[in-house]
Amino acid sequence: MAIMTRTFYSGGIFLQEAFTLLLTGLSGAGKTTIAEGIARRLRSHQIQFELLDGDVIRHEIGQMFGYSREERIKVSHILKLLAKTLNRNGISVIIAALTPYQEMRDNYRRELNNYIEAFIDCPLEVCIARDVKGLYKNYYEGRVNNVVGIDDVFEIPQTPDLVLRTSERLLDDCIDQVMDVIYQNKLRK
Ligand SMILES: Nc1ncnc2c1ncn2[C@@H]1O[C@H](COP(=O)(O)OS(=O)(=O)O)[C@@H](OP(=O)(O)O)[C@H]1O
Ligand SMILES: Nc1ncnc2c1ncn2[C@@H]1O[C@H](COP(=O)(O)OP(=O)(O)O)[C@@H](O)[C@H]1O
């Protein structure tokens, strides 16, 4: 029996299967900004997708989890379940979340079909200077701890599909790089 797959045709490119794109990196590295840029591109190609931002999902489930290693891993399991469920229904997913530990990313790669991992690589000093959400200020003023890159580890991704150096490249270049991987490597069959 033939297996049915959804086929999207957009701008001369066939997308046959849903994918999950993980954007992993420090706070302030550029995950959300790049995710929103990719979202705009996917929308313009009428590709069905959902953007799962770690911070937003944490709020939506009522701040059930904090920032210990164990709790971060639990959140990653929730994100994986959401991605798997959406993918199964033909909807691609962008996950924008720190995802600091290799075991989280290994788990995504093992369990998600068409998984693409983008390491949003930006030096800690630049992230601190950007301090988009005031997280680093809160750390230095003693209000929070377990900040990844400072008193919690960011394990460098061992097998990313692409590395985006946001302190060296313009936003549009970063988005182009991701779109190339989505189209050429993963989904064009
Ligand atoms: N230690 C600590 N205390 C308080 N708040 C923190 C802490 N670490 C992270 N944050 C904030 O939470 C956002 C990261 O959530 P994530 O789900 O992406 O992180 S993780 O993947 O579970 O590690 C993160 O959002 P981004 O800055 O967009 O990455 C921060 O705003
Ligand atoms: N090449 C780039 N890609 C993404 N963001 C960039 C880039 N260059 C500068 N920025 C800036 O860096 C900041 C990244 O913030 P944000 O996307 O919220 O990070 P994160 O979601 O990783 O915490 C934004 O203010 C954005 O305008």
Side-chain angles (χ1 to χ4, degrees):
M1 190 171 74
I3 296 170
M4 294 282 286
T5 56
R6 276 170 186 243
T7 303
F8 303 93
Y9 181 72
S10 73
I13 296 157
F14 285 100
L15 300 183
Q16 285 192 317
E17 291 175 21
F19 62 89
T20 294
L21 166 70
L22 172 70
L23 305 175
T24 173
L26 297 176
S27 181
K31 304 179 296 295
T32 303
T33 306
I34 293 172
E36 286 168 354
I38 293 164
R40 278 193 296 277
R41 300 268 187 104
L42 294 177
R43 226 173 269 128
S44 75
H45 289 288
Q46 280 132 33
I47 294 167
Q48 281 189 290
F49 72 96
E50 189 69 46
L51 170 54
L52 304 178
D53 187 292
D55 211 15
V56 174
I57 298 295
R58 281 166 173 280
H59 277 90
E60 284 178 355
I61 59 174
Q63 300 287 24
M64 283 169 71
F65 300 102
Y67 298 95
S68 67
R69 184 176 183 106
E70 293 69 28
E71 288 171 296
R72 289 182 198 271
I73 289 172
K74 283 180 186 164
V75 173
S76 76
H77 282 293
I78 292 170
L79 292 172
K80 182 192 68 190
L81 172 66
L82 291 171
K84 224 177 187 177
T85 307
L86 288 161
N87 285 176
R88 201 186 298 136
N89 287 282
I91 298 165
S92 292
V93 170
I94 308 168
I95 300 177
L98 265 98
T99 324
Y101 315 131
Q102 187 60 37
E103 68 175 284
M104 294 169 155
R105 301 181 292 250
D106 286 344
N107 188 253
Y108 284 167
R109 195 175 289 283
R110 244 190 334 269
E111 296 209 22
L112 296 170
N113 291 329
N114 289 328
Y115 169 70
I116 304 165
E117 186 175 296
F119 173 25
I120 313 304
D121 187 11
C122 183
L124 178 64
E125 315 81 76
V126 177
C127 293
I128 291 173
R130 289 177 179 170
D131 206 3
V132 183
K133 292 186 179 162
L135 179 66
Y136 300 107
K137 183 171 187 280
N138 280 335
Y139 171 81
Y140 288 114
E141 293 180 358
R143 284 187 288 273
V144 299
N145 56 12
N146 290 351
V147 173
V148 169
I150 303 183
D151 62 345
D152 194 357
V153 66
F154 183 86
E155 297 167 2
I156 302 300
Q158 290 169 10
T159 53
D161 296 291
L162 72 168
V163 179
L164 306 175
R165 298 203 165 82
T166 61
S167 60
E168 298 169 12
R169 303 286 295 270
L170 293 173
L171 174 61
D172 277 346
D173 291 346
C174 296
I175 296 169
D176 286 345
Q177 263 184 274
V178 179
M179 294 308 293
D180 283 351
V181 172
I182 290 175
Y183 283 147
Q184 289 166 16
N185 295 351
K186 293 286 171 186
L187 297 170
R188 202 157 102 181
K189 304 217 167 153

